[in-house]
Structures are given as C-alpha cells and as structure tokens.
C-alpha cells in the first residue's frame, strides 16, 4: 500500500478510495482504462481533504460528475479521479431558489424545478451531465444556457476555502 493511498484513506475513509478502478464503469461511452486512484468524497470537507492530499503529493486529479461524453484512454489515468456524482448530489428548493451540489444530474434538477412551478431550466431537461459540469461549460440548448438561470456559485479555491461568485446573467 502506497503512502499516498493511505493519506487518501485517512482523509475520507478506506471505503471511499479505490485503486485501479476501471473508468469504463464510470463513463457513458463505457470505455477507458483504470484510474490509479478513484475517490468518492461525501461532502465539502472530504473533497477539500482529497484536494489537499493531491496538492501536497503533487498528484494530478480530475473532477468527475456523471462521466457524460467523457473519453478516457485505454491506458487509464495515472492520477486521482474525484467522483462527485451520487455522493455530492443533494438538492433542495426554497421558494423560487434551487440549491444544488455539483454532482446532481442536470436533468433531474430541471424536472424537480418544473414540478415546483419554476421555469427557466426547461432547456436542461435532456442534457445528461451534472450541475458542476454544466456550470463549467455553460451548458445550454434550445436558446437557454446555465448563465441564464444561475445566480450564485460556491466553489473551493486552491486554498480549499469556500468562495461565492454571482452570475451577471450575461
């Protein structure tokens, strides 16, 4: 067992850390070799701990949502895949605001918002990715884009502190 593997296990628990995980099990194309390390943090504190371990050990990492339209080499990924889908996908609706973690499916958020009578996310109902990925790429379809419906984003900075930014809507 490597020292880095042990650091990851200490940070988030051994049950949330896998070695040589086949990426074909985590992409919509069902292709791709193994990730050297595959971690599933359960919240912001665990995510920050994984990022700190990666930075300290100078290990490359990639944040993975649902694996939609992601191609991974058959040789795999010699770094840390940080999987947010499922474990970091909480959502709540309060009034006309939707609060969502990065791993939530975009299509599910759009459906739930619609069920509560909220409009604006109809464009997202057929997009297979997660909120985090949709924000990074400003996902859109049918004339709507994430920038049109997002008011505030809270993210981790390189120093692992939370920061909030507001969308200008343009």
């Amino acid at each position: 067992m490597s020292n880095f593997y042990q650091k990851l296990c200490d940070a988030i628990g051994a049950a949330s850390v896998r070695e040589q995980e086949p990426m074909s099990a985590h992409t919509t194309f069902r292709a791709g070799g193994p990730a050297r390390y595959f971690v599933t943090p359960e919240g912001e504190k665990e995510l920050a701990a994984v990022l700190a371990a990666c930075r300290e050990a100078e290990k490359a990492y990639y944040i993975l949502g649902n694996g939609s339209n992601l191609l991974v080499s058959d040789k795999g990924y010699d770094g840390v895949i940080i999987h947010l889908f499922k474990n970091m996908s909480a959502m709540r609706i309060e009034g006309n605001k939707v609060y969502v973690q990065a791993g939530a499916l975009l299509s599910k958020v759009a459906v739930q918002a619609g069920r509560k009578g909220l409009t604006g996310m109809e464009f997202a109902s057929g997009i297979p990715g997660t909120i985090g990925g949709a924000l990074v790429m400003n996902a859109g379809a049918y004339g709507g884009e994430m920038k049109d419906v997002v008011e505030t984003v809270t993210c981790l900075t390189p120093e692992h502190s939370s920061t909030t930014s507001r969308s200008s809507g343009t």
Side-chain angles (χ1 to χ4, degrees):
M1 175 184 341
S2 75
N3 188 33
F4 182 67
Y5 175 81
Q6 188 59 51
K7 284 186 180 186
L8 290 173
C9 289
D10 291 345
I12 66 171
S16 297
V17 181
R18 290 179 271 200
E19 290 186 282
Q20 301 303 324
E21 177 72 11
M23 289 304 297
S24 59
H26 303 284
T27 64
T28 57
F29 290 126
R30 299 294 178 228
R36 178 70 178 96
Y37 303 99
F38 187 90
V39 300
T40 53
E42 299 225 3
E44 184 179 321
K45 288 181 182 179
E46 285 192 359
L47 175 57
V50 168
L51 293 172
C54 289
R55 186 163 288 110
E56 181 182 313
E58 298 182 347
K59 293 281 186 188
Y61 63 87
Y62 183 81
I63 307 287
L64 177 66
N66 189 36
S68 303
N69 302 324
L70 177 67
L71 290 174
V72 179
S73 168
D74 288 339
K75 294 178 183 176
Y77 182 74
D78 190 32
V80 181
I81 297 291
I82 303 171
H83 195 217
L84 301 185
F85 177 55
K86 294 183 183 173
N87 283 353
M88 293 186 67
S89 60
M91 177 178 76
R92 74 180 192 281
I93 299 174
E94 295 177 5
N96 66 348
K97 305 276 186 195
V98 181
Y99 300 89
V100 187
Q101 288 183 310
L105 288 175
L106 186 59
S107 57
K108 181 179 176 182
V109 173
V111 167
Q112 293 300 319
R115 286 184 179 157
K116 292 290 186 172
L118 302 177
T119 62
M121 288 198 64
E122 296 83 359
F123 74 89
S125 63
I127 299 175
T130 59
I131 287 287
L135 290 172
V136 167
M137 64 179 10
N138 189 35
Y142 309 109
E145 296 177 310
M146 292 304 293
K147 70 166 180 63
D148 300 326
V149 296
V150 174
E151 181 179 301
T152 305
V153 175
T154 301
C155 61
L156 290 176
T157 66
E159 295 78 30
H160 307 300
S161 60
S162 292
T163 184
T164 302
S165 62
R166 298 203 177 271
S167 171
S168 66
T170 58

PDB file of all heavy atoms in Angstrom, residues 80-92:
ATOM      1  N   VAL A  80      -5.701  10.974  -9.722  1.00  0.00           N
ATOM      2  CA  VAL A  80      -6.847  10.765  -8.840  1.00  0.00           C
ATOM      3  C   VAL A  80      -8.114  11.234  -9.544  1.00  0.00           C
ATOM      4  O   VAL A  80      -8.206  12.387  -9.956  1.00  0.00           O
ATOM      5  CB  VAL A  80      -6.670  11.540  -7.519  1.00  0.00           C
ATOM      6  CG1 VAL A  80      -7.847  11.310  -6.587  1.00  0.00           C
ATOM      7  CG2 VAL A  80      -5.355  11.172  -6.840  1.00  0.00           C
ATOM      8  N   ILE A  81      -9.064  10.347  -9.693  1.00  0.00           N
ATOM      9  CA  ILE A  81     -10.388  10.720 -10.180  1.00  0.00           C
ATOM     10  C   ILE A  81     -11.241  10.992  -8.944  1.00  0.00           C
ATOM     11  O   ILE A  81     -11.372  10.132  -8.060  1.00  0.00           O
ATOM     12  CB  ILE A  81     -11.034   9.602 -11.027  1.00  0.00           C
ATOM     13  CG1 ILE A  81     -10.220   9.326 -12.292  1.00  0.00           C
ATOM     14  CG2 ILE A  81     -12.486   9.947 -11.351  1.00  0.00           C
ATOM     15  CD1 ILE A  81     -10.243  10.442 -13.327  1.00  0.00           C
ATOM     16  N   ILE A  82     -11.801  12.187  -8.889  1.00  0.00           N
ATOM     17  CA  ILE A  82     -12.659  12.578  -7.768  1.00  0.00           C
ATOM     18  C   ILE A  82     -14.094  12.571  -8.283  1.00  0.00           C
ATOM     19  O   ILE A  82     -14.495  13.448  -9.041  1.00  0.00           O
ATOM     20  CB  ILE A  82     -12.258  13.965  -7.229  1.00  0.00           C
ATOM     21  CG1 ILE A  82     -10.782  13.961  -6.819  1.00  0.00           C
ATOM     22  CG2 ILE A  82     -13.157  14.361  -6.063  1.00  0.00           C
ATOM     23  CD1 ILE A  82     -10.229  15.341  -6.487  1.00  0.00           C
ATOM     24  N   HIS A  83     -14.847  11.559  -7.881  1.00  0.00           N
ATOM     25  CA  HIS A  83     -16.193  11.331  -8.398  1.00  0.00           C
ATOM     26  C   HIS A  83     -17.229  12.012  -7.500  1.00  0.00           C
ATOM     27  O   HIS A  83     -17.393  11.650  -6.340  1.00  0.00           O
ATOM     28  CB  HIS A  83     -16.442   9.825  -8.450  1.00  0.00           C
ATOM     29  CG  HIS A  83     -17.605   9.433  -9.276  1.00  0.00           C
ATOM     30  ND1 HIS A  83     -18.437   8.403  -8.933  1.00  0.00           N
ATOM     31  CD2 HIS A  83     -18.090   9.904 -10.450  1.00  0.00           C
ATOM     32  CE1 HIS A  83     -19.376   8.252  -9.849  1.00  0.00           C
ATOM     33  NE2 HIS A  83     -19.190   9.163 -10.771  1.00  0.00           N
ATOM     34  N   LEU A  84     -17.932  13.001  -8.047  1.00  0.00           N
ATOM     35  CA  LEU A  84     -18.913  13.751  -7.267  1.00  0.00           C
ATOM     36  C   LEU A  84     -20.340  13.243  -7.440  1.00  0.00           C
ATOM     37  O   LEU A  84     -21.195  13.474  -6.586  1.00  0.00           O
ATOM     38  CB  LEU A  84     -18.867  15.237  -7.633  1.00  0.00           C
ATOM     39  CG  LEU A  84     -17.544  15.950  -7.418  1.00  0.00           C
ATOM     40  CD1 LEU A  84     -17.696  17.433  -7.717  1.00  0.00           C
ATOM     41  CD2 LEU A  84     -17.000  15.726  -6.025  1.00  0.00           C
ATOM     42  N   PHE A  85     -20.609  12.577  -8.559  1.00  0.00           N
ATOM     43  CA  PHE A  85     -21.961  12.082  -8.845  1.00  0.00           C
ATOM     44  C   PHE A  85     -22.421  11.160  -7.726  1.00  0.00           C
ATOM     45  O   PHE A  85     -21.661  10.371  -7.209  1.00  0.00           O
ATOM     46  CB  PHE A  85     -21.962  11.359 -10.195  1.00  0.00           C
ATOM     47  CG  PHE A  85     -23.278  10.744 -10.574  1.00  0.00           C
ATOM     48  CD1 PHE A  85     -24.423  11.504 -10.622  1.00  0.00           C
ATOM     49  CD2 PHE A  85     -23.354   9.408 -10.895  1.00  0.00           C
ATOM     50  CE1 PHE A  85     -25.645  10.944 -10.984  1.00  0.00           C
ATOM     51  CE2 PHE A  85     -24.564   8.832 -11.262  1.00  0.00           C
ATOM     52  CZ  PHE A  85     -25.704   9.605 -11.305  1.00  0.00           C
ATOM     53  N   LYS A  86     -23.617  11.251  -7.333  1.00  0.00           N
ATOM     54  CA  LYS A  86     -24.305  10.483  -6.294  1.00  0.00           C
ATOM     55  C   LYS A  86     -23.991  11.006  -4.897  1.00  0.00           C
ATOM     56  O   LYS A  86     -24.885  11.474  -4.215  1.00  0.00           O
ATOM     57  CB  LYS A  86     -24.037   8.981  -6.391  1.00  0.00           C
ATOM     58  CG  LYS A  86     -24.606   8.362  -7.640  1.00  0.00           C
ATOM     59  CD  LYS A  86     -24.398   6.873  -7.663  1.00  0.00           C
ATOM     60  CE  LYS A  86     -24.918   6.314  -8.972  1.00  0.00           C
ATOM     61  NZ  LYS A  86     -24.632   4.936  -9.159  1.00  0.00           N
ATOM     62  N   ASN A  87     -22.751  10.930  -4.424  1.00  0.00           N
ATOM     63  CA  ASN A  87     -22.446  11.342  -3.055  1.00  0.00           C
ATOM     64  C   ASN A  87     -22.600  12.841  -2.822  1.00  0.00           C
ATOM     65  O   ASN A  87     -22.862  13.252  -1.696  1.00  0.00           O
ATOM     66  CB  ASN A  87     -21.031  10.932  -2.659  1.00  0.00           C
ATOM     67  CG  ASN A  87     -20.942   9.457  -2.338  1.00  0.00           C
ATOM     68  OD1 ASN A  87     -21.935   8.759  -2.291  1.00  0.00           O
ATOM     69  ND2 ASN A  87     -19.742   8.980  -2.114  1.00  0.00           N
ATOM     70  N   MET A  88     -22.388  13.625  -3.837  1.00  0.00           N
ATOM     71  CA  MET A  88     -22.487  15.082  -3.684  1.00  0.00           C
ATOM     72  C   MET A  88     -23.555  15.603  -4.644  1.00  0.00           C
ATOM     73  O   MET A  88     -23.284  16.416  -5.517  1.00  0.00           O
ATOM     74  CB  MET A  88     -21.126  15.739  -3.916  1.00  0.00           C
ATOM     75  CG  MET A  88     -20.123  15.377  -2.817  1.00  0.00           C
ATOM     76  SD  MET A  88     -18.572  16.259  -2.934  1.00  0.00           S
ATOM     77  CE  MET A  88     -19.105  17.930  -2.591  1.00  0.00           C
ATOM     78  N   SER A  89     -24.782  15.114  -4.452  1.00  0.00           N
ATOM     79  CA  SER A  89     -25.852  15.477  -5.382  1.00  0.00           C
ATOM     80  C   SER A  89     -27.121  15.950  -4.670  1.00  0.00           C
ATOM     81  O   SER A  89     -28.215  15.847  -5.212  1.00  0.00           O
ATOM     82  CB  SER A  89     -26.169  14.297  -6.298  1.00  0.00           C
ATOM     83  OG  SER A  89     -26.584  13.193  -5.533  1.00  0.00           O
ATOM     84  N   ALA A  90     -26.961  16.453  -3.474  1.00  0.00           N
ATOM     85  CA  ALA A  90     -28.134  16.927  -2.719  1.00  0.00           C
ATOM     86  C   ALA A  90     -28.766  18.127  -3.425  1.00  0.00           C
ATOM     87  O   ALA A  90     -28.079  18.925  -4.065  1.00  0.00           O
ATOM     88  CB  ALA A  90     -27.732  17.308  -1.304  1.00  0.00           C
ATOM     89  N   MET A  91     -30.093  18.227  -3.269  1.00  0.00           N
ATOM     90  CA  MET A  91     -30.821  19.338  -3.880  1.00  0.00           C
ATOM     91  C   MET A  91     -31.968  19.715  -2.951  1.00  0.00           C
ATOM     92  O   MET A  91     -32.605  18.851  -2.361  1.00  0.00           O
ATOM     93  CB  MET A  91     -31.368  18.915  -5.241  1.00  0.00           C
ATOM     94  CG  MET A  91     -32.205  19.989  -5.906  1.00  0.00           C
ATOM     95  SD  MET A  91     -32.804  19.506  -7.533  1.00  0.00           S
ATOM     96  CE  MET A  91     -34.111  18.398  -7.087  1.00  0.00           C
ATOM     97  N   ARG A  92     -32.206  21.016  -2.846  1.00  0.00           N
ATOM     98  CA  ARG A  92     -33.388  21.477  -2.120  1.00  0.00           C
ATOM     99  C   ARG A  92     -33.933  22.709  -2.828  1.00  0.00           C
ATOM    100  O   ARG A  92     -33.184  23.452  -3.453  1.00  0.00           O
ATOM    101  CB  ARG A  92     -33.083  21.753  -0.658  1.00  0.00           C
ATOM    102  CG  ARG A  92     -32.295  22.999  -0.372  1.00  0.00           C
ATOM    103  CD  ARG A  92     -32.037  23.188   1.132  1.00  0.00           C
ATOM    104  NE  ARG A  92     -31.540  24.501   1.418  1.00  0.00           N
ATOM    105  CZ  ARG A  92     -30.297  24.918   1.250  1.00  0.00           C
ATOM    106  NH1 ARG A  92     -29.394  24.085   0.791  1.00  0.00           N
ATOM    107  NH2 ARG A  92     -29.945  26.148   1.538  1.00  0.00           N
TER     108      ARG A  92
END
